Amino acid sequence: MSAIVCSHVDKAYGATTVIRDLNLSIEEHEFVVFLGPSGCGKSTLLRMLAGLEDISGGEVSIGGKVVNDLDPGDRGIAMVFQNYALYPHMTIFDNIAFGLKRQKVPAAEIRKRVEAVSRTLGLEPYLGRKPAELSGGQQQRVAIARAMIKTPKVFLFDEPLSNLDAKLRNHMRVEIARLHQSLKTTTVYVTHDQLEAMTLADRIVLLKEGVIEQIGAPAEIYLRPANMFVAGFIGTPNMNFVEVTVGRSGNGWTLTGAGTVLSIEGRGFHLQHGDRAVLGIRPPDLKTASAGVPGILQGTADLIEFHGNDALVTFGSGGKEISALVPARECPTLNAPVRYTFEEESIHLFDATSGASLRKQ
Ligand SMILES: Nc1ncnc2c1ncn2[C@@H]1O[C@H](COP(=O)(O)OP(=O)(O)OP(=O)(O)O)[C@@H](O)[C@H]1O
Ligand SMILES: [Mg+2]
């Protein structure tokens, strides 16, 4: 049985629809990440699962039971928010125990459970302190402990790490991944940070304007984006897009654009002579070309961003700005001529009008 099912779910605020006919099944023990740009409806959808927002249309079930009209407290879920306000005047122990005390759980049982979650999250040394005496990451762990102690069927996280600095975020991300490995509780996690999504998710649900653009494992979304939106959203530095005209040439195809003609075999794609398409290439998939190689992208390096191990080289090719991520030792000097080639397996082609991938399934 699926842990969570959304069936034709809509959400409207007055005349504005923010989630449209959304269908999604989340399996038991799965870690699913809702990813998408600001305002795409991630939090709204999560809050509908939690019961904090009404559902305007369709059905949400949790553990096989329709929960549309069920109170948040009766859904078997626990939620961790971005702003995880802890009670400042209470000790960490009391903050974690708060929900159980309200449920009138006996004191000895509370102590046992607080100690157990504190051990899992490494909070034992801090149980007597107040929240102000903890670091941001430790406070975040207390918020997770507070959710965990309810032993929910489902964890819901809404950007739980966005208030932390970069180093702490990395650390907490690893802790959340470990926690899921040991508890295996079904988890839905909202973020607009693609690195967080890629590293944590079993599956990513990529949203845009309240509609699912693609659902898939991180590698699938990265390697086989369903459309230009997904391709452009996932991957840093961003994928290069070059408008091309498709031509038939012998057994293969030509792609004409950005001041050059590229030859491909094209067997992996649905192509037609005369089609207008968009060629997508990720910067790390461009390789420095040796002299004499035909069908390459070339130009003059007009911007170089040194990253350490590698460098992002931006060059103009036929009036189009293209970026290549190359090993630092291959980094050209500014204004030097550059030539890059690529393997056909690494390219993407999209319909120029609809943006849909032209890749054969
Ligand atoms: N109470 C409300 N009334 C009207 N519109 C709302 C309300 N709450 C959210 N919205 C709108 O719904 C859309 C989705 O909002 P939501 O908070 O779900 O986005 P999000 O994907 O979580 O974005 P972010 O990454 O910025 O948190 C936005 O356009 C927002 O303006
Ligand atoms: Mg949000």
Side-chain angles (χ1 to χ4, degrees):
M1 185 179 35
S2 298
I4 301 174
V5 179
C6 296
S7 178
H8 302 290
V9 167
D10 290 311
K11 176 71 187 178
Y13 292 107
T16 319
T17 301
V18 297
I19 300 285
R20 273 167 237 274
D21 192 28
L22 185 135
N23 294 290
L24 174 67
S25 242
I26 296 172
E27 301 310 315
E28 228 159 293
H29 311 307
E30 214 180 357
F31 197 120
V32 166
V33 174
F34 293 167
L35 177 67
S38 182
C40 71
K42 306 178 294 290
S43 296
T44 304
L45 187 56
L46 196 76
R47 292 169 60 80
M48 284 197 280
L49 301 182
L52 302 171
E53 290 284 351
D54 291 336
I55 296 162
S56 310
E59 230 169 56
V60 173
S61 1
I62 298 179
K65 189 163 148 197
V66 176
V67 297
N68 284 39
D69 298 319
L70 220 54
D71 284 338
D74 299 328
R75 295 190 180 199
I77 49 116
M79 187 150 166
V80 180
F81 297 95
Q82 174 179 351
N83 299 311
Y84 44 84
L86 303 175
Y87 299 108
H89 56 284
M90 286 187 196
T91 62
I92 299 309
F93 183 99
D94 287 335
N95 265 283
I96 298 174
F98 187 75
L100 297 184
K101 277 189 182 157
R102 270 217 315 216
Q103 289 169 14
K104 307 259 186 301
V105 174
E109 168 75 14
I110 291 181
R111 174 152 296 279
K112 216 171 83 192
R113 281 166 65 179
V114 171
E115 280 168 3
V117 286
S118 305
R119 210 172 305 124
T120 310
L121 289 166
L123 287 170
E124 287 161 304
Y126 315 116
L127 290 177
R129 294 199 197 169
K130 299 277 174 61
E133 297 161 339
L134 298 190
S135 73
Q138 289 161 346
Q139 290 186 32
Q140 184 57 273
R141 271 185 273 161
V142 175
I144 295 172
R146 205 166 52 173
M148 259 174 77
I149 202 155
K150 299 185 202 158
T151 54
K153 286 188 291 202
V154 177
F155 273 133
L156 304 176
F157 289 94
D158 193 351
E159 309 235 14
L161 309 184
S162 54
N163 287 345
L164 306 178
D165 66 45
K167 197 163 166 221
L168 208 46
R169 277 175 85 127
N170 291 346
H171 176 71
M172 285 305 296
R173 199 174 63 220
V174 174
E175 293 211 1
I176 289 177
R178 287 227 177 90
L179 196 64
H180 185 253
Q181 270 169 17
S182 65
L183 300 177
K184 305 215 162 35
T185 309
T186 310
T187 302
V188 186
Y189 187 104
V190 164
T191 182
H192 60 260
D193 178 336
Q194 53 163 306
L195 185 65
E196 239 168 76
M198 299 285 259
T199 52
L200 286 171
D202 292 319
R203 282 191 305 157
I204 293 174
V205 175
L206 190 50
L207 290 158
K208 179 192 166 199
E209 294 171 14
V211 173
I212 296 177
E213 294 285 319
Q214 189 168 0
I215 304 178
E220 191 182 338
I221 292 213
Y222 182 82
L223 296 171
R224 301 175 75 87
N227 56 45
M228 274 177 74
F229 172 78
V230 176
F233 192 81
I234 296 278
T236 319
N238 292 342
M239 188 184 279
N240 295 295
F241 291 120
V242 180
E243 292 192 11
V244 294
T245 305
V246 176
R248 184 85 218 184
S249 160
N251 288 331
W253 301 86
T254 55
L255 305 173
T256 306
T260 186
V261 181
L262 305 166
S263 293
I264 60 166
E265 290 183 10
R267 269 185 240 128
F269 300 99
H270 295 286
L271 299 174
Q272 273 185 2
H273 184 82
D275 273 358
R276 283 181 51 251
V278 176
L279 166 69
I281 307 182
R282 296 197 188 278
D285 291 331
L286 284 172
K287 308 290 177 203
T288 308
S290 40
V293 177
I296 51 169
L297 293 164
Q298 57 185 326
T300 304
D302 50 30
L303 185 68
I304 292 171
E305 293 166 61
F306 181 66
H307 291 178
N309 276 338
D310 42 37
L312 189 67
V313 180
T314 302
F315 59 100
S317 176
K320 175 81 200 160
E321 289 274 285
I322 297 178
S323 297
L325 190 69
V326 299
R329 67 188 137 71
E330 292 172 19
C331 184
T333 50
L334 199 61
N335 297 321
V338 290
R339 302 152 56 80
Y340 295 105
T341 184
F342 53 84
E343 304 274 339
E344 187 170 335
E345 294 80 71
S346 68
I347 66 165
H348 304 263
L349 283 166
F350 304 98
D351 184 291
T353 312
S354 71
S357 174
L358 296 173
R359 190 184 296 281
K360 290 179 184 164
Q361 285 312 304

